[in-house]
Amino acid sequence: MTSISYVQQQRITRLCVRCGLLLMQYGAESAVVVDLSKRLGFALGMSSVECSLNFNAITLTTICNERCITTTRDTINQSINVNLLVQIQQIVNKTEAAIGKGNLVDLTTLAFDKLDKAVYPPWLVGIFVGASCAAFANLNGGSWSITAVTFIAGMVAMLTRIYLSKHHFNPFITVIVTAFIASLIGATTYYFDIGNNADIAVASSVLLLVPSFPLINSFSDILKGYVNIGIGRAVFTYMLTLSACVGIVMALVLLQIQHWGF
């Protein structure tokens, strides 16, 4: 095995923790984060790679020639981006396929620098989220007027959520405000007696706030032995759900919707 200097090991350690950090930030489950970080380290010449995850941090240690380097990074939750997760996995696969070639660390670093983090424009996301909420309302027997109100509510709520997230509002406050706006628009079907079933509009307008992806990840982490981070993700998910409920109740109380028991 080619001797690896301390400086080279530092670069490899930073690459491995960068890989794990990006995976955590963009929604990968813990088993994938640990597996890809270790595979990248082995491919770059490390004899051992140890990775420990927390809900908001990652700690990684590389071992080479009986020399250890440990680093810790804080994570910041980003929106789910499966395209980015696939790109990272492809980088690791290409690095493993190129073992033994020169400048492998430089090539891998360049690949991470060129990651495509582009996302769809907010207006397009808003339209499609509104359309999905409207489709759900229509499939559940809502009239065309109910479907139209649900579309507007879902679209405006999603645009609000994107705006608040972009300006780094607390995620729970963001969900409360988003749920409030969605329910407020959807509940106008009660207030103005629109359509055949106003319950459908209110229920469908807040579907964009269902934290299905994080919830699945939390269960997957617990089942695969990452209990601490799994419980942390589950609690975070339940708090998001509670925040959505608070926003919905605030809107219904404001409009004095008696049908819901207020």
Side-chain angles (χ1 to χ4, degrees), residues 149-150 152-154 156-157 180-189 201-202 205 251 255:
V149 172
T150 304
I152 295 172
V156 173
F180 175 79
I181 290 176
S183 301
L184 196 66
I185 298 174
T188 56
T189 53
V202 175
S205 299
L255 292 178

Side-chain angles (χ1 to χ4, degrees), residues 202-262:
V202 175
S204 301
S205 299
V206 294
L207 283 180
L208 63 119
L209 296 174
V210 176
S212 54
F213 202 100
L215 187 61
I216 293 171
N217 274 351
S218 68
F219 286 137
S220 177
D221 289 343
I222 293 172
L223 293 174
K224 293 180 180 179
Y226 299 93
V227 178
N228 290 337
I229 189 170
I231 292 175
R233 284 179 167 179
V235 171
F236 182 77
T237 300
Y238 298 147
M239 288 300 297
L240 289 179
T241 305
L242 178 61
S243 300
C245 293
V246 171
I248 294 170
V249 171
M250 287 173 58
L252 296 177
V253 170
L254 179 65
L255 292 178
Q256 298 181 351
I257 305 299
Q258 299 298 324
H259 180 76
W260 286 75
F262 295 98

Side-chain angles (χ1 to χ4, degrees), residues 23-44:
L23 289 168
M24 286 187 68
Q25 288 178 336
Y26 289 96
E29 61 178 281
S30 299
V32 174
V33 175
V34 173
D35 179 60
L36 291 181
S37 299
K38 287 187 174 184
R39 285 170 54 189
L40 181 62
F42 290 139
L44 293 175

Side-chain angles (χ1 to χ4, degrees), residues 46-247:
M46 296 295 99
S47 57
S48 179
V49 179
E50 303 298 332
C51 186
S52 176
L53 304 180
N54 201 343
F55 177 71
N56 57 357
I58 177 173
T59 301
L60 187 136
T61 299
T62 59
I63 302 174
C64 182
N65 300 326
E66 298 184 356
R67 181 179 58 222
C68 299
I69 296 180
T70 301
T71 185
T72 300
R73 297 287 189 276
D74 291 332
T75 64
I76 300 174
N77 288 328
Q78 304 283 356
S79 58
I80 304 298
N81 191 332
V82 179
N83 177 48
L84 193 66
L85 302 183
V86 172
Q87 290 182 65
I88 295 172
Q89 188 170 17
Q90 290 174 342
I91 290 174
V92 175
N93 290 338
K94 290 179 181 178
T95 302
E96 289 177 328
I99 291 177
K101 297 183 179 179
N103 299 324
L104 191 55
V105 176
D106 293 332
L107 292 174
T108 306
T109 302
L110 183 62
F112 274 102
D113 290 339
K114 290 185 176 180
L115 280 173
D116 181 13
K117 297 183 180 180
V119 295
Y120 294 110
W123 63 266
L124 185 61
V125 175
I127 289 175
F128 275 92
V129 169
S132 64
C133 293
F136 185 85
N138 187 262
L139 289 172
N140 279 273
S143 62
W144 286 110
S145 55
I146 290 291
T147 301
V149 172
T150 304
F151 172 78
I152 295 172
M155 181 179 64
V156 173
M158 191 63 204
L159 292 174
T160 302
R161 186 177 190 179
I162 293 173
Y163 176 83
L164 295 176
S165 298
K166 183 178 179 180
H167 289 79
H168 309 291
F169 277 75
N170 181 284
F172 303 123
I173 299 299
T174 298
V175 170
I176 289 174
V177 174
T178 303
F180 175 79
I181 290 176
S183 301
L184 196 66
I185 298 174
T188 56
T189 53
Y190 285 111
Y191 205 73
F192 297 106
D193 194 22
I194 299 173
N196 59 338
N197 192 339
D199 291 340
I200 295 175
V202 175
S204 301
S205 299
V206 294
L207 283 180
L208 63 119
L209 296 174
V210 176
S212 54
F213 202 100
L215 187 61
I216 293 171
N217 274 351
S218 68
F219 286 137
S220 177
D221 289 343
I222 293 172
L223 293 174
K224 293 180 180 179
Y226 299 93
V227 178
N228 290 337
I229 189 170
I231 292 175
R233 284 179 167 179
V235 171
F236 182 77
T237 300
Y238 298 147
M239 288 300 297
L240 289 179
T241 305
L242 178 61
S243 300
C245 293
V246 171

